[in-house]
């Protein structure tokens, strides 16, 4: 059992299989954004699981700015939802003044955002997408299970004494194709923000990254010296490297930061 590890690069548990990290890690740390704890409530219904989650928070000045950017992110989402049809786009061009009054944070005159503000906005929007996709995934799983029961009870008439399960009774499984939205932009955003987070002393001996993306594993493995590989289950692998992965993450190697040399991936 790994004592502590960082979920990377997402800030909530998505895709759904990422929850299985709890079977292999005593304490999982997440990057904390303004809505992270709220979004986790619907994911971690088991109170014991919640006690095993730790957070890496933004330093105070940047935490305050993140709360302000949360409002801007909501306006971006609402504006994007409205303007996605040709009719709405035409209405926008005809009545821009009305939109400027409604979406004040989005259209008010101001100086260009700093790079760390743009990075925070990317991560806030990414977390919102992850949270929404989590809801969709859970709804699909529930639908599949309900449809399986209908097939068995109302249509196929399952034989309770049948020893071998028929093809028709197998659970309708959702294909495991969930990918993190805009992976490259997330990684670039985190590179910009690493020194804006507070790394407590208890985190300095953390050495394991938790990832779900094969693409990310390939990038980290490129040019790195693999010294050990353990298959913890059919689709969970722990890889240990000789060199620190910090440079590939854009995380400083200086004192006060953990040095990551392990990757635990769920394939």
């Amino acid at each position: 059992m790994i004592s502590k590890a960082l979920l990377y690069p997402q800030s909530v548990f998505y895709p759904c299989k990422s929850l299985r990290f709890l079977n292999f890690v005593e304490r999982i740390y997440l990057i904390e954004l303004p809505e992270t704890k709220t979004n986790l409530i619907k994911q971690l219904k088991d109170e014991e699981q919640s006690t095993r989650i730790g957070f890496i928070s933004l330093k105070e000045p940047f935490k305050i700015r993140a709360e302000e950017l949360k409002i801007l992110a909501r306006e971006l989402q609402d504006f994007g939802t409205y303007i996605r049809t040709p009719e709405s786009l035409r209405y926008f061009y005809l009545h821009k003044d009305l939109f400027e009054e409604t979406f004040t944070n989005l259209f008010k005159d101001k100086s260009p955002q700093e790079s760390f503000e743009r990075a925070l906005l990317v991560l806030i929007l990414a977390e919102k997408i992850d949270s929404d996709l989590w809801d969709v995934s859970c709804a699909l799983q529930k639908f599949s299970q309900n449809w399986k029961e209908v097939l068995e009870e109302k249509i196929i008439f399952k034989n309770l004494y049948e020893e071998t399960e028929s093809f028709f009774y197998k659970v309708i499984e959702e294909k495991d194709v969930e990918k993190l939205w805009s992976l490259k932009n997330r990684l670039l955003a985190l590179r910009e923000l690493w020194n804006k987070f507070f790394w407590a002393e208890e985190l300095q001996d953390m050495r394991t990254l938790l990832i779900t993306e094969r693409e990310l594993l390939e990038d980290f493995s490129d040019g790195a010296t693999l010294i050990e590989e353990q298959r913890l289950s059919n689709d969970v692998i722990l890889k240990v490297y000789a060199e620190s992965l910090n440079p590939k993450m854009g995380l400083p190697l200086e004192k006060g930061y953990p040095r990551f040399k392990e990757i635990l991936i769920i394939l």
Side-chain angles (χ1 to χ4, degrees):
M1 178 77 74
I2 297 168
S3 62
K4 62 185 72 168
L6 173 68
L7 184 64
Y8 177 81
Q10 59 268 59
S11 53
V12 291
F13 287 100
Y14 183 80
C16 296
K17 64 182 180 181
S18 60
L19 269 180
R20 288 162 51 203
F21 282 129
L22 288 163
N23 298 329
F24 305 95
V25 183
E26 292 179 3
R27 189 163 180 81
I28 295 177
Y29 285 86
L30 307 176
I31 295 296
E32 184 185 2
L33 300 171
E35 299 283 352
T36 301
K37 290 182 178 178
T38 301
N39 288 325
L40 280 176
I41 291 175
K42 60 186 176 184
Q43 296 183 331
L44 300 177
K45 297 179 181 179
D46 188 335
E47 186 175 344
E48 182 181 349
Q49 289 182 342
S50 300
T51 61
R52 296 170 56 196
I53 305 301
F55 297 94
I56 301 173
S57 303
L58 287 160
K59 296 175 183 176
E60 201 57 40
F62 307 105
K63 193 172 187 178
I64 295 172
R65 185 62 183 128
E67 288 291 338
E68 297 169 350
L69 289 171
K70 177 178 69 174
I71 300 173
L72 176 60
R74 287 176 180 171
E75 287 197 2
L76 278 169
Q77 295 161 27
D78 293 341
F79 179 69
T81 300
Y82 177 82
I83 209 169
R84 59 186 174 180
T85 64
E87 293 79 9
S88 299
L89 184 61
R90 180 173 178 272
Y91 188 78
F92 166 68
Y93 280 114
L94 290 173
H95 304 283
K96 284 187 178 181
D97 54 332
L98 296 178
F99 284 86
E100 291 175 1
E101 293 177 6
T102 304
F103 301 100
T104 55
N105 290 284
L106 196 57
F107 290 101
K108 68 181 180 181
D109 294 331
K110 58 181 179 179
S111 58
Q113 291 180 338
E114 295 186 32
S115 57
F116 84 88
E117 294 175 319
R118 294 193 296 270
L120 276 172
L121 197 56
V122 166
L123 295 183
I124 290 171
L125 290 170
E127 181 179 286
K128 170 62 175 172
I129 290 175
D130 288 347
S131 179
D132 289 347
L133 289 176
W134 171 277
D135 292 339
V136 171
S137 182
C138 290
L140 284 172
Q141 290 178 13
K142 184 177 180 180
F143 172 81
S144 296
Q145 182 60 36
N146 290 343
W147 183 242
K148 172 180 178 288
E149 293 174 0
V150 169
L151 282 172
E152 291 179 350
E153 297 175 10
K154 308 296 183 182
I155 300 176
I156 307 298
F157 301 108
K158 181 176 181 179
N159 182 358
L160 298 178
Y161 301 99
E162 187 177 20
E163 295 183 1
T164 304
E165 186 177 37
S166 169
F167 168 79
F168 296 103
Y169 307 130
K170 291 182 179 179
V171 176
I172 304 171
E173 295 181 352
E174 181 186 357
K175 294 296 183 182
D176 187 18
V177 294
E178 299 100 330
K179 297 290 182 182
L180 292 177
W181 167 82
S182 195
L183 178 61
K184 182 178 179 180
N185 285 336
R186 294 179 192 232
L187 301 178
L188 291 174
L190 282 172
R191 281 178 173 270
E192 180 67 34
L193 292 172
W194 283 132
N195 62 352
K196 310 294 191 297
F197 287 98
F198 175 72
W199 297 89
E201 186 176 351
E202 66 181 43
L203 302 177
Q204 294 178 23
D205 63 343
M206 183 164 55
R207 52 186 284 124
T208 308
L209 290 175
L210 309 178
I211 66 175
T212 58
E213 303 296 303
R214 287 178 181 267
E215 177 185 346
L216 193 53
L217 177 63
E218 292 170 1
D219 289 344
F220 280 170
S221 300
D222 185 23
T225 305
L226 181 67
I227 60 176
E228 184 180 356
E229 179 174 315
Q230 299 179 36
R231 185 170 287 275
L232 304 184
S233 69
N234 288 337
D235 55 359
V236 180
I237 299 173
L238 177 67
K239 292 179 176 283
V240 183
Y241 297 90
E243 309 89 356
S244 172
L245 300 172
N246 288 34
K248 291 180 177 290
M249 301 168 59
L251 184 68
L253 283 168
E254 61 194 59
K255 185 179 179 181
Y257 293 93
R259 294 200 174 197
F260 293 100
K261 290 190 174 185
E262 299 178 353
I263 290 178
L264 184 66
I265 182 170
I266 294 181
L267 301 173

